[in-house]
Amino acid sequence: MQGALLELIRFGYGPLGGPIGGPPAPPVAPGGLDPDRLLASLDAPDPVTRPGTAARLALLADQRRARDVAKAGGPKDDSAVKALRQLQREDAAHWVTGAATAASGFRERLVNFWANRLTVAPTRGEGVHFVQPYRDEVVRPHVAGRFATMLAAAAWHPAMLLYLDQARSVGPNSAYGLRRRAGLNENFAREFLELHSMGAGYTQADVTELARLLAGLNYAPEGAVFDAERAEPGPKTVLGAEYGTGPAEIARFIEALALRPETAGSVALALARHFLADDPPADLVARMAQTYLDAGSALPPVYRVLLEHPAAADPVLQKLRSPHEYLVASLRAFGLTGEEGPDQGGPKGGLKTGPALQAMGQPVFRPQGPDGWPDRAGDWITPPFLTARLDWAEKLARLYAERAEPAALARHLLGDAATDTIRAVGQAEQRWEGVAVLLASPAFMRR
């Protein structure tokens, strides 16, 4: 497979097709996989278009005020509730449209990778409103920065504090804890060590001590705060080092945690597994981990080691696209955004990408647990999930096949990896069937 096309598939969401009703897509530029080009794309402007945490906190404050007025016998005002629900619907759609129209597929893939590694989900009260801002404020600004900075931003974001119950954790010897007989919730501390950073090499005592250190880190109506009344007094010993109390000590711990060899190895393995293979080359993971430590957790040098390894240019596609990646790649094949309605050749009610993702096993922003979406093929290859992909392929093919010649589209999307697919496409009796065969082919489902 041509290197530049491989670059779009393995490190992005696949090549763009021509827009519906517009000119055909230009051919993929000649040349090989170019690490410099991919890394330079991380510096391109990446404007955030969705309302952030501050806007949502303001709406939540309006909602509370309206509720208080109604309880006191005043007029009912549900405008803030409606506005928040509308934001939720738009956020869900944006997960698809943002990737389908992304100028840099590599950057967008990294945003989704890191948001998945430092997972939050809308399962705790007001946390439902902060998932999109979390992605835009914690992950997006730091994909080309230091992991330590991203990790600290995650720890202080309302979405994380609510999702992993940190807002319920109280130092048992704090003023609040003694008064209310409240205690620690270790959920956030455990996942911070197990899933977000080290993965191994810590003890239960470290989890408890970290929970004591993090006590006081809380969510309030104005957002993330440090509540000294909930903070556990006295020294805390985590991973062999002693810490005091307060935000500065939490920051000192996170910096030390990010620079541990266990964290470096965990980050390197996760990146290599996501982009290259379910079981990536051990020598690559080791070099990425050492580079991570040498660079003080700066991520671009780690990406460069990944991109320059021979496995990155292997023309054999190793990874199965996740449902989100598969759906986005199929939209890009036709130059679609995912929001097309009848006026753009779509069905009444739109393409309904959300229900399609749910049927494929990846409901929008709702992973099964704090470990995020799986990154191995076996978790996505089940009869119901594959049937849902075939249903989506047929739906898209029936809608848009008349605007694409199947064999030409296969060559554009897969290059010289399309040989077997073109042969299968050529056996279809109708054009839409040929396009469906292409979208449902093993070659198209891989990256």
Side-chain angles (χ1 to χ4, degrees):
M1 178 179 290
Q2 180 182 326
L5 178 59
L6 180 67
E7 181 180 305
L8 292 172
I9 294 172
R10 179 164 288 154
F11 297 101
Y13 291 97
L16 274 171
I20 295 301
V28 175
L33 188 150
D34 187 344
D36 289 332
R37 178 169 55 213
L38 284 168
L39 292 170
S41 73
L42 301 183
D43 299 325
D46 189 25
V48 174
T49 58
R50 303 295 302 137
T53 296
R56 300 177 194 234
L57 287 170
L59 283 171
L60 286 167
D62 291 344
Q63 177 181 277
R64 295 187 198 103
R65 282 192 291 269
R67 188 184 300 130
D68 291 342
V69 169
K71 284 182 179 179
K76 181 179 179 181
D77 180 5
D78 60 356
S79 58
V81 173
K82 290 180 178 179
L84 286 166
R85 287 175 180 169
Q86 180 61 26
L87 284 178
Q88 284 180 254
R89 289 190 289 269
E90 292 172 356
D91 290 345
H94 182 71
W95 192 38
V96 172
T97 59
T101 61
S104 169
F106 185 44
R107 169 181 274 278
E108 203 64 24
R109 281 279 302 282
L110 285 169
V111 169
N112 281 308
F113 166 80
W114 288 114
N116 192 52
R117 179 170 174 83
L118 306 177
T119 293
V120 298
T123 57
R124 295 287 189 275
E126 293 180 346
V128 66
H129 305 297
F130 299 124
V131 175
Q132 182 66 48
Y134 175 88
R135 295 167 62 85
D136 289 336
E137 296 162 1
V138 168
V139 178
R140 193 171 292 280
H142 302 303
V143 293
R146 297 178 69 236
F147 180 64
T149 309
M150 188 190 301
L151 194 61
W156 282 93
H157 199 276
M160 184 65 77
L161 298 177
L162 289 168
Y163 177 52
L164 291 182
D165 301 315
Q166 180 59 30
R168 303 180 183 183
S169 189
V170 178
N173 298 304
S174 67
Y176 185 94
L178 292 172
R179 187 168 65 249
R180 299 290 186 91
R181 296 183 179 179
L184 297 173
N185 185 305
E186 296 183 353
N187 195 23
F188 179 41
R190 179 173 292 103
E191 308 304 3
F192 204 62
L193 294 175
E194 180 180 352
L195 301 178
H196 299 171
S197 56
M198 296 173 63
Y202 61 91
T203 67
Q204 175 56 42
D206 290 319
V207 173
T208 301
E209 286 292 281
L210 178 55
R212 294 178 68 237
L213 176 61
L214 295 174
L217 186 54
N218 193 25
Y219 169 71
E222 62 269 28
V225 298
F226 187 82
D227 186 347
E229 280 223 329
R230 293 174 174 241
E232 180 72 359
K236 299 93 180 168
T237 302
V238 192
L239 300 171
E242 186 173 294
Y243 298 90
T245 302
E249 290 296 271
I250 293 174
R252 185 164 71 90
F253 167 75
I254 293 175
E255 181 71 17
L257 178 67
L259 297 178
R260 289 187 65 92
E262 299 94 337
T263 301
S266 179
V267 165
L269 176 60
L271 273 167
R273 173 170 290 154
H274 176 75
F275 282 102
L276 297 188
D278 288 359
D279 297 301
D283 69 305
L284 168 62
V285 175
R287 285 182 54 207
M288 290 171 66
Q290 188 58 53
T291 300
Y292 172 99
L293 293 172
D294 293 343
S297 86
L299 295 171
V302 183
Y303 301 152
R304 179 173 289 281
V305 173
L306 171 74
L307 296 170
E308 291 181 346
H309 192 273
D314 186 344
V316 179
L317 300 177
Q318 300 283 345
K319 292 287 295 186
L320 182 76
R321 280 171 164 155
S322 70
H324 177 257
E325 292 163 357
Y326 170 71
L327 186 142
V328 169
S330 67
L331 291 174
R332 288 173 64 86
F334 293 96
L336 303 172
T337 68
E339 295 189 318
E340 283 75 14
D343 291 343
Q344 297 84 33
K348 185 178 181 181
L351 291 173
K352 297 185 177 179
T353 56
L357 286 169
Q358 169 119 20
M360 294 179 202
Q362 198 172 15
V364 179
F365 295 161
R366 291 187 179 274
Q368 292 183 349
D371 53 347
W373 300 113
D375 215 353
R376 290 177 180 269
D379 295 292
W380 300 123
I381 300 177
T382 71
F385 294 168
L386 288 177
T387 297
R389 293 192 187 212
L390 299 180
D391 289 344
W392 173 259
E394 179 180 341
K395 176 180 181 178
L396 216 59
R398 285 184 179 275
L399 286 168
Y400 299 110
E402 293 307 313
R403 311 190 188 191
E405 197 283 313
L409 183 61
R411 282 190 291 270
H412 176 69
L413 298 178
L414 301 173
D416 54 20
T419 303
D420 291 340
T421 304
I422 290 174
R423 188 178 301 114
V425 162
Q427 296 173 357
E429 294 184 1
Q430 301 183 60
R431 176 175 285 202
W432 76 264
E433 292 175 327
V435 172
V437 167
L438 165 61
L439 297 180
S441 67
F444 186 76
M445 288 196 191
R446 293 194 171 273
R447 56 165 173 81

